[in-house]
């Protein structure tokens, strides 16, 4: 069977980059079984021939209406599919969907009728907001990083910017490369509209949010950019936990050292 990626260099490169990230999620131990999902807005990479392609699935509801997404195209991880499989075979463990005229449903157009992730409401709600706000961001990534999820089980860490400040102070690069910090989304049922709504709200102020007792959700220019922000936060979480395992609470960089970073790297705060 001919893949939609054949002869389309830019679309292929985007899907292959996403597959590379899926491999990193698995290698990091963040993607047990089908854990995590990635969606990428590929509308700008879609040509007229793709626009003419017939649906290969029924029309399916998103669960919410998102006018900004009319006629948009997304590459989505398939629900129940494994990141480690997607890394090798992205078009067998994911698919490309087209948002319908009603802005409340989608069809699958390629390569196979692989149903998109159960977290589609969260992903698409965020993509709609990114389009509305003129953002250059095209990708959203949800994954289950062990140390960050562990930290979300400790109530005192869930106050606004408590974890942001702890994680920023573990190593200077975290503040430089995740300059907005880590937002907190209270526990909500996976795949629910409630989770989508609170994720959307919290991502107004952050690029990465922690889903209490579940995982993280990040937005970025592409899947690699979203992954990098999660990766630096996860590195800080590991340093914190290593120090605790050695029997002490890590000192963290001082306020003055953090301020010096803000000035030197022209950071927002
Ligand atoms: P999917 O397999 O439907 O993408 O779900 C994985 C997950 O992590 C849900 O939160
Ligand atoms: Zn999950």
């Amino acid at each position: 069977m001919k893949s939609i990626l054949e002869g389309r260099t830019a679309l292929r490169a985007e899907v292959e980059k996403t597959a590379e990230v899926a491999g990193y999620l698995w290698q990091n131990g963040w993607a047990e079984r089908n854990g995590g999902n990635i969606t990428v807005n590929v509308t700008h990479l879609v040509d007229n021939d793709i626009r003419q392609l017939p649906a290969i699935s029924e029309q399916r509801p998103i669960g919410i209406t998102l006018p900004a997404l009319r006629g948009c195209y997304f590459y989505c991880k398939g629900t129940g599919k494994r990141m480690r499989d997607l890394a090798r075979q992205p078009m067998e463990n994911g698919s490309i969907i087209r948002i319908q005229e009603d802005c409340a449903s989608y069809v699958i157009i390629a390569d196979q009728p692989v149903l998109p992730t159960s977290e589609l409401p969260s992903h698409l709600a965020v993509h709609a907001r990114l389009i509305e706000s003129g953002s250059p961001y095209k990708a959203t990534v949800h994954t289950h990083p062990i140390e960050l999820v562990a930290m979300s089980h400790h109530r005192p860490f869930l106050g606004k910017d408590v974890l942001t400040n702890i994680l920023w102070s573990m190593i200077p690069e975290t503040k430089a490369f995740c300059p907005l910090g880590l937002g907190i989304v209270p526990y909500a049922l996976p795949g629910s509209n409630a989770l989508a709504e609170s994720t959307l709200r919290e991502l107004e102020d952050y690029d990465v949010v922690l889903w209490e007792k579940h995982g993280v959700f990040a937005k970025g220019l592409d899947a690699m950019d979203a992954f990098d922000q999660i990766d630096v936060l996860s590195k800080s979480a590991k340093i914190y936990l290593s120090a605790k395992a050695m029997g002490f609470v890590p000192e963290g960089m001082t306020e003055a050292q953090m301020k010096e970073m803000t000035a030197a790297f022209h950071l927002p705060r």
Side-chain angles (χ1 to χ4, degrees), residues 35-37 119 142-144 190 211 214-215:
N37 21 79
E119 302 289 2
H142 161 57
T143 187
H144 301 165
W211 282 358
H214 180 167

Side-chain angles (χ1 to χ4, degrees), residues 158-262:
L158 301 180
K160 188 168 174 61
D161 284 332
V162 174
L163 272 182
T164 296
N165 285 309
I166 291 174
L167 297 171
W168 274 352
S169 76
M170 288 298 103
I171 176 170
E173 278 82 350
T174 298
K175 187 160 199 229
F177 298 121
C178 189
L180 300 177
L182 180 64
I184 304 289
V185 171
Y187 183 85
L189 185 70
S192 63
N193 286 350
L195 182 57
E197 281 159 25
S198 37
T199 300
L200 184 63
R201 224 176 301 124
E202 197 68 359
L203 281 174
E204 289 294 323
D205 299 328
Y206 300 90
D207 279 344
V208 190
V209 296
L210 185 58
W211 282 358
E212 183 186 334
K213 299 170 189 145
H214 180 167
V216 299
F217 190 101
K219 56 182 160 79
L221 294 168
D222 55 16
M224 199 67 79
D225 181 42
F227 167 77
D228 277 337
Q229 293 213 46
I230 301 168
D231 201 25
V232 294
L233 289 167
S234 168
K235 178 63 167 268
S236 275
K238 286 191 177 88
I239 294 168
Y240 182 87
L241 290 166
S242 300
K244 292 280 281 183
M246 286 185 272
F248 61 89
V249 177
E251 189 174 277
M253 292 155 59
T254 64
E255 271 298 308
Q257 289 164 342
M258 304 260 272
K259 283 207 177 88
E260 185 187 30
M261 279 296 295
T262 306

Side-chain angles (χ1 to χ4, degrees), residues 39-41 44 74 126-131 133-140 177 179-180 203 206-208 218-223 225-226 229:
T39 65
V40 184
N41 185 344
H44 60 298
F74 295 90
V126 172
H127 282 293
R129 182 75 194 111
L130 291 172
I131 291 170
S133 61
S135 168
Y137 284 9
K138 296 278 192 290
T140 50
F177 298 121
L180 300 177
L203 281 174
Y206 300 90
D207 279 344
V208 190
K219 56 182 160 79
L221 294 168
D222 55 16
D225 181 42
Q229 293 213 46

Side-chain angles (χ1 to χ4, degrees), residues 37-167:
N37 21 79
I38 307 179
T39 65
V40 184
N41 185 344
V42 293
T43 311
H44 60 298
L45 303 173
V46 158
D47 54 41
N48 270 336
D49 288 344
I50 294 182
R51 290 183 186 280
Q52 303 310 318
L53 285 177
I56 56 169
S57 73
E58 299 284 282
Q59 183 159 320
R60 298 174 55 85
I62 299 168
I64 32 179
T65 304
L66 300 163
L69 298 189
R70 179 178 287 117
C72 284
Y73 291 79
F74 295 90
Y75 170 77
C76 307
K77 192 205 83 155
T79 186
K81 301 296 186 187
R82 296 176 177 84
M83 288 295 178
R84 64 179 188 263
D85 292 338
L86 193 153
R88 288 176 291 113
Q89 296 176 310
M91 294 307 288
E92 286 169 32
N93 297 280
S95 60
I96 294 182
I97 64 168
R98 174 195 294 139
I99 309 300
Q100 299 296 89
E101 276 301 303
D102 64 4
C103 308
S105 60
Y106 67 88
V107 292
I108 304 169
I109 59 149
D111 280 343
Q112 299 171 29
V114 174
L115 286 186
T117 170
S118 57
E119 302 289 2
L120 201 62
S122 285
H123 285 269
L124 292 186
V126 172
H127 282 293
R129 182 75 194 111
L130 291 172
I131 291 170
E132 282 164 3
S133 61
S135 168
Y137 284 9
K138 296 278 192 290
T140 50
V141 173
H142 161 57
T143 187
H144 301 165
I146 302 164
E147 296 83 0
L148 288 168
V149 175
M151 289 176 119
S152 81
H153 285 262
H154 187 49
R155 188 68 39 201
F157 282 163
L158 301 180
K160 188 168 174 61
D161 284 332
V162 174
L163 272 182
T164 296
N165 285 309
I166 291 174
L167 297 171

